Amino acid sequence: MDFQQIRYEVADAILTITLDRPDRLNAWTPTMASELIEAFDRADADDDVRAIVVTGAGRAYCAGADLAGGGETFDWRERQSADEVPRDNGGQVTLRIFDSTKPVIAAINGPAVGVGITMTLPMDIRLAAEDARIGFVFARRGIVPEAGSSWFLPRIVGMSQAMEWVATGRVFSAQEALDGRLVRSLHPREELLDAARSLAREIADNAAPVSVALARRMLWTMLSAEHPMIAHRADSRGMFFRGQSADVVEGVTSFLEKRPPQFTDRVSDGLPDVLPGWTAPAFE
């Protein structure tokens, strides 16, 4: 598909996805949501993509939902089919990012409010510009946290911090986000994207893509496992299947020969099932 509200650019094994409505501070729309899902589908199918960076065009990351519809912006009754509750498209995007086989880095280059920040929560690492402003503003708009953020946010920053930000709905500084462990580091705006790409470069140049994909799936899934035995089962299966792979031979040999590795196993060929019997719940 030809993207209208995002940019999709691959260079040197790094995909940069740019939210591209700078005249509207990259405000969220259904079109942007569907394009992001398509972008992550495309990235998973492309073995030349080793890591993903997501950022915004212009001075904002994403100002949240486009409020051009006024007071009816969040009235979804026209989207309703029969008596079914329509799905939140922010949640559809975050669930797709959650399922990504490629590591995802958010480069929050400016204001990130509402869905503009909740969309980053299933991303693995968040970097922010020093002057970025962030807000979980839902209670101030009369709605509730969306995009699966009631699951993601407390796991990232803890319940007390999550509830403070959500209950007050205030917009806060990048420094407060760093202190609350929402973001990994702060950077001058002009250096932010290079910092994010440098981190992506470290992954792309040194790590086996299949191993990264499996590790990402295991770490996220284990956030809600009821016992470490679940992790032990997944670890054991992962070690068994990957221990037979060409990547392991290359990883050990390149280490002994003191040279960069050249991993050949491909994510698109399929991942070993290290979590047999686990399936995502259905939307009901």
Side-chain angles (χ1 to χ4, degrees):
M1 65 182 293
D2 294 325
F3 295 120
Q4 300 174 359
Q5 297 187 3
I6 67 171
R7 297 202 307 267
Y8 184 104
E9 300 162 306
V10 180
D12 299 326
I14 299 170
L15 164 62
T16 302
I17 297 174
T18 306
L19 310 180
D20 195 20
R21 301 184 71 216
D23 56 318
R24 297 290 296 171
L25 300 182
N26 304 318
W28 183 270
T29 70
T31 297
M32 181 179 288
S34 64
E35 289 186 357
L36 284 167
I37 291 171
E38 169 63 22
F40 278 90
D41 286 347
R42 186 182 296 186
D44 271 0
D46 186 354
D47 289 308
D48 289 335
V49 172
R50 298 286 189 91
I52 301 171
V53 174
V54 184
T55 194
R59 66 184 183 88
Y61 179 78
C62 175
D66 193 321
L67 301 179
E72 297 181 356
T73 297
F74 300 109
D75 187 342
W76 291 357
R77 283 175 292 185
E78 288 188 2
R79 292 169 46 186
Q80 189 174 20
S81 176
D83 293 327
E84 296 180 357
V85 173
R87 293 186 65 175
D88 161 39
N89 60 27
Q92 290 175 296
V93 172
T94 57
L95 287 170
R96 181 61 190 86
I97 297 171
F98 177 80
D99 285 335
S100 173
T101 60
K102 313 298 171 72
V104 188
I105 300 168
I108 303 171
N109 57 299
V113 177
V115 69
I117 187 61
T118 58
M119 68 171 288
T120 73
L121 299 182
M123 300 179 192
D124 304 294
I125 305 166
R126 283 162 296 280
L127 286 65
E130 293 171 334
D131 59 351
R133 302 282 289 173
I134 293 166
F136 298 90
V137 298
F138 311 102
R140 296 194 181 199
R141 305 292 178 267
I143 54 174
V144 297
E146 37 62 276
S149 56
S150 58
W151 190 91
F152 288 106
L153 186 60
R155 286 167 168 79
I156 296 169
V157 303
M159 178 58 76
S160 178
Q161 181 66 88
M163 193 59 200
E164 177 183 338
W165 285 337
V166 167
T168 64
R170 71 168 179 267
V171 175
F172 52 90
S173 69
Q175 183 62 52
E176 184 172 341
L178 178 66
D179 293 343
R181 302 184 69 179
L182 179 62
V183 301
R184 169 233 194 219
S185 54
L186 304 183
H187 306 267
R189 183 186 292 254
E190 64 275 11
E191 298 175 11
L192 174 67
L193 194 53
D194 283 344
R197 286 176 173 156
S198 177
L199 185 55
R201 172 92 281 123
E202 184 176 1
I203 296 169
D205 288 348
N206 298 290
V210 172
S211 295
V212 172
L214 285 172
R216 186 180 195 274
R217 181 165 296 175
M218 291 160 63
L219 265 63
W220 275 111
T221 304
M222 291 309 141
L223 281 176
S224 55
E226 66 270 22
H227 192 280
M229 178 57 77
I230 310 301
H232 177 53
R233 293 171 184 165
D235 299 346
S236 298
R237 289 184 176 89
M239 291 296 291
F240 176 74
F241 290 121
R242 291 300 287 155
Q244 307 167 41
S245 70
D247 276 357
V248 168
V249 175
E250 172 62 11
V252 173
T253 302
S254 63
F255 173 76
L256 295 175
E257 294 178 353
K258 296 180 172 57
R259 60 171 176 80
Q262 298 293 323
F263 295 116
T264 57
D265 290 349
R266 304 190 309 171
V267 172
S268 65
D269 288 336
L271 300 177
D273 186 4
V274 298
L275 298 162
W278 187 90
T279 57
F283 180 80
E284 297 177 355

